[in-house]
Amino acid sequence: MKRNPFRPLCVVSGLLFASTAVSALAAAPAAPPVDLVVYGGTASGVVTAYSAAREGLHVVLLEPGGHLGGMVTGGLSATDAAYFKIIGGYARDFYREAAAHYGVHKLDAHEDWLSEPKVGEEIFNTWLKRAGVEVHFHERVKEHGGVSKKGTHVVSITTEDGRVWAAKIFADCSYEGDVMAEAGVKYTVGREGEETYGEDLAGVRVDTPKHQFLWKISPRDENGKLMPEVDPGPMGANGAGDKKVQAYNFRMILTDDPANRMPWTKPKGYDAARFALLAKYLGEWKEHMHREPNFHDVMNPVMIPHREADFNNNGAFSSDYIGKSWTYPDASYAERKRIWDDHLLYTQSFLWFLASDPRVPQPLRDEVNSWGRAKDEFPDTDGWPNQLYIREGRRMVGVYVMHQADLQTDRTKKDSIAMGSYNSDSHNIQRVATPDGGVRNEGDVQVSVKPYEIAFGTILPKKDQTDNLLVPVCLSASHVAYSSVRMEPQYMMMGQAAGVTAAMAIKGKTAVQDVDVVALQQRLRSQKAILHLEQEATGSGVE
């Protein structure tokens, strides 16, 4: 008998990691088998679980951390919506509910899509409780041997506390793709060369104007030594592939409301020397730009409700920790923690430098000190975001690999499950000393696209690798295509498709790859998903 999908049975587990405690592993009970186990409480994971539960499935959601929503509730409040009309289904429902919290009942302008992290997290929690999804926090898949398979069929996931989670279908909705990797699914990391998929935006980008140094500046000190945060190079040949990934950062939620603002403090481990190049750049700013630098020159704030703003990377030297994300996708858990902590220290140090260092022009210091972390956001991490912005990690090589042409010339797909429209947007990948004595950032890609359709095959592993796993976040795309499709509304819409696919595969007793695409599309349209260009053009499914 199917469980009522709206029965309030959200179960929250707060178990501590016990991967090294043999007795704890032995004592950990096996969870009873369920229909679907979703790994990763990102926004995509939440919507995947919610979607499947609404189809009548018994769903368990495992989140390695302690919060739901990933970047949507982790600092990325300036939603990357682009062309609003192509965002449909449960993703649009989420943003509609968030807007309604502020008394806004339309989604016609970019400001209608912006909300505070705590508001989004409450919506996600409410959704999962209402749908009867069992949510278990602090459940991370065991690092080695965490996925059990019988042939090509995933049987169970084992988490670090020794619990075994069995299901008929699994969905890896994490930013890291650890279940996908443990299941033996083929994936790639880094940038393809131009020749791999015939992409003229692929590989190393030698000459890019955005988020670049605005004049030639030497990255060497008075002794000729290379300054910190600069790679000696070489940059690589234009169009050549490599294993490097775009920069990560923390999306800061700051406020200029004195009643809600926390002052900047010097972080433990602070080293002003790492910002020598930035100090030199700011010191030359007035000479070249004929004005003093301001906060907008070194970060990009987007105002959200209640005098708060989402501050993102901006310019040549900002909150992106360029060159320090390369090993994260395939790193051990211990190494990932080191990288995560190093990114946090960098962010804390960057803001303290701007707020306090005498080399920073006084007007900029004063402006930075008029802002601070919001007391009412991320209270359990002292106002620092709880999610690192993992813009790109592992990318599955699945049934269909999305590439540049799918964003530009081949924009329609018979098996479309969602649509995208955000420009190709890769952040810089390396900061390199150049042979002419200067320094350049490399890797930035910002190319506009028109609305395009996303193929079902992008969330499907190849059937000879596994037949019951869905991957809507570390999806199958080239670096160039991923730079557009990686936006959170798309992850959410693909999550909705994954949840419905799981239900159809169970009902039809088929592999996920064999689900009837036409029937899937019909079901998604009934839930107001936008799948095709002609549907978007008529406004079908949009309020």
Side-chain angles (χ1 to χ4, degrees):
M1 180 178 179
K2 293 289 184 186
R3 154 191 314 273
N4 181 344
F6 294 98
R7 185 180 173 192
L9 288 178
C10 181
V11 177
V12 178
S13 168
L15 297 175
L16 296 175
F17 292 166
S19 59
T20 59
V22 176
S23 60
L25 290 175
V34 298
D35 293 318
L36 172 67
V37 166
V38 176
Y39 184 73
T42 60
S44 183
V46 170
V47 175
T48 298
Y50 178 70
S51 171
R54 289 197 60 164
E55 298 299 300
L57 298 192
H58 181 182
V59 182
V60 164
L61 173 61
L62 306 178
E63 164 51 34
H67 293 275
L68 294 176
M71 283 306 302
V72 170
T73 62
L76 203 169
S77 291
T79 306
D80 297 314
Y83 188 58
F84 310 144
K85 288 187 177 181
I86 60 92
I87 300 174
Y90 298 146
R92 195 176 193 89
D93 287 347
F94 169 81
Y95 290 106
R96 187 188 294 112
E97 283 193 35
H101 177 84
Y102 304 102
V104 176
H105 300 286
K106 57 183 178 58
L107 293 173
D108 297 334
H110 187 242
E111 56 265 28
D112 302 333
W113 295 77
L114 314 180
S115 60
E116 299 160 287
K118 60 180 179 290
V119 171
E121 188 166 7
E122 179 57 32
I123 292 170
F124 283 145
N125 275 293
T126 299
W127 277 18
L128 296 187
K129 289 177 183 177
R130 188 170 69 224
V133 174
E134 297 181 22
V135 180
H136 298 264
F137 291 114
H138 305 296
E139 290 289 359
R140 185 166 62 172
V141 66
K142 194 170 72 169
E143 190 161 13
H144 302 291
V147 174
S148 176
K149 290 175 68 179
K150 186 175 182 180
T152 59
H153 201 73
V154 177
V155 176
S156 63
I157 293 173
T158 302
T159 46
E160 288 183 308
D161 58 5
R163 298 190 72 181
V164 177
W165 308 85
K168 297 173 184 175
I169 305 286
F170 295 83
D172 187 342
C173 299
S174 66
Y175 293 124
E176 289 84 1
D178 289 330
V179 168
M180 172 191 74
E182 286 283 327
V185 172
K186 185 179 179 181
Y187 65 87
T188 189
V189 172
R191 298 183 282 187
E192 295 86 358
E194 288 183 345
E195 71 287 348
T196 304
Y197 297 112
E199 300 171 304
D200 61 17
L201 294 176
V204 173
R205 314 309 305 154
V206 169
D207 187 17
T208 55
K210 301 292 186 180
H211 302 290
Q212 192 58 265
F213 291 93
L214 300 177
W215 57 88
K216 183 179 177 181
I217 185 170
S218 172
R220 299 185 181 276
D221 62 20
E222 61 275 10
N223 299 315
K225 184 179 179 182
L226 200 63
M227 293 179 181
E229 312 305 340
V230 180
D231 192 285
M235 182 182 293
N238 193 63
D242 57 30
K243 293 300 180 182
K244 301 170 182 176
V245 299
Q246 58 182 303
Y248 300 166
N249 75 340
F250 284 95
R251 293 286 285 259
M252 296 299 301
I253 300 296
L254 305 183
T255 181
D256 63 354
D257 179 1
N260 192 33
R261 183 182 68 209
M262 289 187 279
W264 302 115
T265 56
K266 183 178 179 180
K268 184 180 180 180
Y270 176 72
D271 180 7
R274 72 192 309 179
F275 301 106
L277 179 60
L278 177 57
K280 185 176 183 180
Y281 190 51
L282 294 175
E284 297 180 5
W285 190 278
K286 190 172 182 179
E287 174 189 351
H288 290 273
M289 304 302 291
H290 310 295
R291 63 172 177 82
E292 296 284 11
N294 59 46
F295 211 173
H296 287 71
D297 294 318
V298 291
M299 292 194 82
N300 179 36
V302 176
M303 294 303 298
I304 63 175
H306 297 153
R307 289 184 66 175
E308 294 179 3
D310 168 351
F311 275 73
N312 192 16
N313 178 83
N314 192 45
F317 201 126
S318 183
S319 62
D320 275 3
Y321 196 16
I322 297 175
K324 304 300 167 57
S325 56
W326 299 347
T327 61
Y328 185 90
D330 273 330
S332 67
Y333 287 166
E335 176 65 6
R336 283 192 195 153
K337 183 180 187 305
R338 187 200 64 76
I339 294 169
W340 186 301
D341 290 346
D342 191 32
H343 275 73
L344 181 58
L345 177 60
Y346 171 83
T347 306
Q348 294 169 335
S349 299
F350 170 72
L351 288 160
W352 177 246
F353 170 82
L354 293 176
S356 68
D357 197 288
R359 294 171 294 175
V360 175
Q362 188 67 51
L364 175 54
R365 273 186 281 157
D366 291 342
E367 187 179 3
V368 172
N369 280 299
S370 72
W371 291 85
R373 303 184 312 285
K375 294 177 183 177
D376 60 350
E377 297 292 352
F378 316 121
D380 55 350
T381 47
D382 193 31
W384 301 98
N386 53 46
Q387 176 63 59
L388 177 63
Y389 195 178
I390 301 162
R391 289 189 173 94
E392 179 180 17
R394 293 168 168 141
R395 303 189 313 278
M396 178 171 65
V397 181
V399 169
Y400 184 82
V401 180
M402 191 173 183
H403 51 286
Q404 184 176 334
D406 295 308
L407 309 180
Q408 297 179 346
T409 56
D410 302 331
R411 295 184 295 120
T412 61
K413 297 288 178 290
K414 288 184 178 180
D415 64 341
S416 175
I417 55 168
M419 291 186 65
S421 67
Y422 203 83
N423 60 284
S424 298
D425 179 15
S426 171
H427 282 231
N428 278 307
I429 289 172
Q430 53 187 340
R431 179 182 294 129
V432 182
T434 55
D436 65 355
V439 59
R440 287 190 67 81
N441 294 334
E442 184 279 318
D444 183 84
V445 176
Q446 294 185 46
V447 177
S448 62
V449 303
K450 294 180 179 179
Y452 57 84
E453 299 170 4
I454 301 169
F456 183 36
T458 59
I459 70 170
L460 299 173
K462 292 181 179 178
K463 194 175 178 181
D464 62 356
Q465 294 167 18
T466 179
D467 60 5
N468 66 329
L469 175 67
L470 296 153
V471 186
V473 175
C474 295
L475 63 132
S476 181
S478 70
H479 165 74
V480 174
Y482 199 83
S483 72
S484 170
V485 77
R486 68 179 178 85
M487 305 305 159
E488 294 291 332
Q490 277 62 47
Y491 287 156
M492 294 165 75
M493 291 186 287
M494 289 184 282
Q496 180 174 348
V500 175
T501 297
M504 293 180 66
I506 289 172
K507 182 178 179 180
K509 298 181 180 179
T510 67
V512 292
Q513 294 88 351
D514 295 333
V515 162
D516 186 318
V517 174
V518 173
L520 170 62
Q521 291 172 325
Q522 290 174 342
R523 184 61 181 154
L524 290 173
R525 286 195 196 94
S526 75
Q527 299 166 349
K528 299 189 181 301
I530 309 298
L531 308 183
H532 295 290
L533 295 172
E534 65 270 17
Q535 186 185 3
E536 167 272 321
T538 62
S540 174
V542 178
E543 78 275 6

